[in-house]
Amino acid sequence: MAESITDDRPRVRGRVVVAFVLTRLGGALFVLWAVATLTFFALRLIPGDPALAILGGPGSQASPEALEAVRREYGLDQPLFVQYLTQLWRLMMGDLGRSYSLNMDVAPLVGVQLGGTMQLAFLSLALAWLLALGLATWSTRGGKIARSIGSGLEIVAAALPHFWLATVLILLFSIWLGVLPPISTPGIAGLVLPVLTLAIPLAGFLGQVMRESLLTALESPFVLSARARGESERGVRLVHAIRHAALPAISLSGWAFGSLISGAVVVETIFARPGLGRTLLNAVTERDVPVVVGVVMIVAVVYILMTLLTDVASRLADPRLRAA
């Protein structure tokens, strides 16, 4: 009987893995469909004629014949639902379309801007983690006063708007001190202010989660057992408590990365930094529907991949999830 149960374990484990993969794949496809659908209909609610936007906007003084020709060329004369199905089919085939305003394929345009935004988001996420972990560790070691100060700093940081923080950082480091450029320039110096603008609010949010989890871990039985075995306080924190405290923050890193990309719209505009955020803002202003859809779909794919990576990281860091 025991041998039969042992023989069934690989089969059961394989079924669990297949079910997990299919569930994740189905969820990813649903997210992409929902993003494409919401983006399509939201853009159609913007006042104005897309054909007129293609020809250069109201100032172009396009003739009715030219407008009609553009509508036929881009399928804008078709019913709205037909346009929607056509766009879904193109996206399924990997065709992001052609930019109205730039007259070039969207895929290479988005590919060029993707690297700058990903660099900004990854650096901001790493710095937010370091700031949050450092503040949580200090506040839990310094007693009640340090905890109160740390909690206040985390709440204030999490509530800071990106546009306000960017303005303050420019005034402080660029105008008053003159040590950093006010706009993004090639090199490390041009990254400092944009990264700080995105990292500080996120660090405040992650810091709150880490601090509460760290306090819970320090009072847990496994920490008390480690102390009873004679481990030093530093060893207890580094080996046991901090690892436990990082688990909630790891789970939230996928969401955090998505918030960083959305924040990049503001940051890249303020610091005149090329990237997906600035490209998206310009495309919305010009009603460049293919560019908007392309950027949003690429961001959705990146978000799905980051969510999957954080799930894997959570399982690697937490033996209970691996066992489950």
Side-chain angles (χ1 to χ4, degrees), residues 72-104:
R72 288 196 302 269
E73 180 181 356
Y74 287 92
L76 298 175
D77 57 339
Q78 300 293 327
L80 186 61
F81 189 68
V82 174
Q83 297 180 41
Y84 167 68
L85 293 180
T86 302
Q87 176 174 289
L88 283 185
W89 176 254
R90 289 177 179 173
L91 292 176
M92 290 174 59
M93 296 296 102
D95 182 10
L96 298 180
R98 193 170 182 84
S99 170
Y100 294 164
S101 59
L102 300 176
N103 194 25
M104 63 178 297

Side-chain angles (χ1 to χ4, degrees), residues 20-277:
F20 173 78
V21 172
L22 291 178
T23 302
R24 284 291 184 176
L25 181 60
L29 293 176
F30 175 79
V31 169
L32 293 177
W33 168 79
V35 168
T37 301
L38 291 175
T39 304
F40 177 84
F41 287 105
L43 290 173
R44 293 307 187 277
L45 293 176
I46 299 177
D49 187 355
L52 187 60
I54 295 173
L55 293 176
S60 63
Q61 298 181 350
S63 64
E65 293 78 12
L67 290 173
E68 188 63 29
V70 168
R71 292 190 185 98
R72 288 196 302 269
E73 180 181 356
Y74 287 92
L76 298 175
D77 57 339
Q78 300 293 327
L80 186 61
F81 189 68
V82 174
Q83 297 180 41
Y84 167 68
L85 293 180
T86 302
Q87 176 174 289
L88 283 185
W89 176 254
R90 289 177 179 173
L91 292 176
M92 290 174 59
M93 296 296 102
D95 182 10
L96 298 180
R98 193 170 182 84
S99 170
Y100 294 164
S101 59
L102 300 176
N103 194 25
M104 63 178 297
D105 291 337
V106 174
L109 172 64
V110 173
V112 170
Q113 305 297 332
L114 179 63
T117 300
M118 292 299 102
Q119 181 189 42
L120 181 62
F122 276 114
L123 290 176
S124 301
L125 182 61
L127 180 59
W129 257 84
L130 292 176
L131 293 175
L133 188 59
L135 185 58
T137 303
W138 171 79
S139 63
T140 54
R141 294 185 63 180
K144 292 183 178 180
I145 296 179
R147 292 179 189 177
S148 299
I149 295 175
S151 177
L153 291 176
E154 290 161 357
I155 293 174
V156 171
L160 293 177
H162 288 131
F163 68 89
W164 182 87
L165 181 57
T167 304
V168 171
L169 291 176
I170 291 173
L171 288 174
L172 177 61
F173 291 101
S174 300
I175 297 179
W176 293 347
L177 299 178
V179 294
L180 292 171
I183 61 174
S184 185
T185 57
I188 298 177
L191 277 170
V192 174
L193 293 185
V195 169
L196 282 174
T197 302
L198 287 175
I200 290 176
L202 180 58
F205 181 80
L206 293 179
Q208 296 178 60
V209 177
M210 288 186 183
R211 182 170 52 81
E212 294 299 325
S213 184
L214 185 56
L215 289 173
T216 302
L218 291 173
E219 299 175 356
S220 299
F222 65 88
V223 170
L224 298 178
S225 299
R227 287 171 175 161
R229 292 193 302 268
E231 291 192 33
S232 64
E233 187 65 22
R234 177 178 296 180
V236 168
R237 286 178 174 271
L238 293 178
V239 177
H240 302 285
I242 289 182
R243 179 181 178 182
H244 179 82
L247 292 177
I250 292 175
S251 301
L252 291 172
S253 292
W255 165 85
F257 194 82
S259 70
L260 290 174
I261 294 179
S262 63
V265 176
V266 176
V267 172
E268 289 175 353
T269 302
I270 293 176
F271 291 101
R273 177 180 174 82
L276 290 180

